[in-house]
Amino acid sequence: MSMLSWYVIAAVCLLSGDVLTSDSELSELSVQLKHGGSLIGTTLKSYSGRQIRTFLGIPYAKPPVGELRFKSPVPFPPWQGVRNATEDGSQCFQMGFLNPLGPPEGSEDCLTLNVYTPPLYRIPKEGLPVMVNIHGGGWLGGSNDHRFFSPSYILDEDVILVSINYRVGVLGFLSTETLDCPGNFGLKDQVEALRWVKEYISEFGGNKNSVTIFGASAGGASVSHLLQSKTANGLFHRAIPQSGNILNPWSQPLHKGEAPRRTLKLAEMLNCSNEEKNWKDIAGCLKNLDASVLVSKTNSLTDWNGYPYFIFQPTLEPSHPEAFIDERPRDVDWNSQDIPILIGMTSGEGIMSTAALLSSDEILKEVKRDVSNKFPLMLGYDHFDKDKQKDITDELEKFYLKNGHSYDKNNHKNFTDMFTDSLFLAGFDEYLKKRLSSKAAPTYVYIFDMKVDNSVSQIVGGGDTYYGVAHGDDIQFLFPFYEFFGKKSELKGNSLVMKNALVEMLVNFASYGNPTPHGSRFEKWEPATKYPWNYVRMGVIDDEGFHVFKNEENYASDRFDFWRTLQPHVEH
């Protein structure tokens, strides 16, 4: 590298607040990519105080603006000279998580990723395993912001961590079910990011032949979609879908006709519709509107209390070379998923939905007065005709609410189980049954059942009431995201033990395809090999009898039997 380049790098680092005092420190934070351009990064500290080489806001695709809106991502072109990588890129345009009724936040120029590595002396010649995190957010929001998805826990281990942004909401998942706007742009962004990882991660010290994708909620569902899509073949080698998969009603492709119906509703609000339903003209009109106008209309597409929550989600595309999904997941041969996976969920996933209901007497009364309309909307079977909806509602009441609608914040387990099973567990069981019947590679299954400080149930419920182990509680042991909300919680005792164990086992899996390989300090985590699936229960709801995990069998089999008969989310 020329002396001029060293001066440029030093100047950038001084401006970003990192004072460099030697050539070795400059070398640590400089990465030259094979196309000739360079990146200069910064440093963070891991939980135990280790240095983290940090490269933020790296563009992997061109900004999807103008003619590139509602199009597949285009790789970011090479650059010359040094590019500053010391600040996060913008989050993709979305309604604010903390202020959902406020103005949209973010930018369309958002297709960036972050890379975190240990110091160079800890990176072997063959490179380190790579873990690529895909954020959640219900297909509507989220980002890879390093303050939210902090690398501080995972980078206590020797692994490369990559976190990515992708388009969300209307800009990421609008669809006309035609080639004018086929949809799934956010998922296509993820594929492009993985192509970037394959091309460039070795220059950061990563092993491009050892890539594990992982994520929770919509991130977990994205992982299972990537497992299924031919467009992602060969881009990763192991997968960890958490609290979401391709067969959950909010993740599977929308029922035929639903995506264009919602697109037309949006177009009518924005004076972009026409009597002929000419999708080319409608898509062209929406493409020319200001992005903030499009995003701000998202809340107007819901029917009641923010439902249906998943307005924009994956869709079935017409067959074309860039299609991410062109077959229904249940119709596809799953032998293509022949790589190891580690899959899990919490014991109370449905609390994400019920905590907010149970915490409002007024809303809860409204649900109880009008279950015939509210249950289909909240539980994802409102696409059926009214008679079919009533039949399903009757069956749900018989199975979960034998004592009538007597549930409240102090008596909600059956009510919460109904949401857990409909939105998560039924699809989880169906996914495993289908995968295990195809004689796939090793499959490790967990149910997370440990109480955590700052539980998502308390954040969503807006108070001190603890409803159980909620959606996202396990992820707090991988990323300290509660700090993003201004909350402090010192890990100690069993919580610290669980954090260390979960991080170590997931890094083991990313390294060896096994969370407890030979020589591990843990007992053997038995993989699931047949249906009904065995699993490990992680943690305990209180400190008494604490264990990191226990091998168990026969989880909630009566509930699985019920949903296999009901099938309210399967295409008929």
Side-chain angles (χ1 to χ4, degrees), residues 44-52 119 121-122 150-158 480 491 496 499-500 503:
L44 295 170
K45 293 289 186 183
S46 75
Y47 183 79
S48 66
R50 289 172 50 166
Q51 184 191 57
I52 304 173
Y121 75 88
R122 302 192 71 96
S150 165
S152 64
Y153 290 176
I154 292 175
L155 264 292
D156 268 341
E157 301 287 334
D158 287 336
L491 285 173
L496 181 59
K499 187 274 290 184
N500 291 338
V503 169

Side-chain angles (χ1 to χ4, degrees), residues 17 53 140 168 195 357 420 481 484 544:
R53 297 169 68 229
L140 288 173
V168 295
R195 289 176 180 144
L357 301 173
T420 294
F481 58 72
F484 185 77
E544 191 172 333

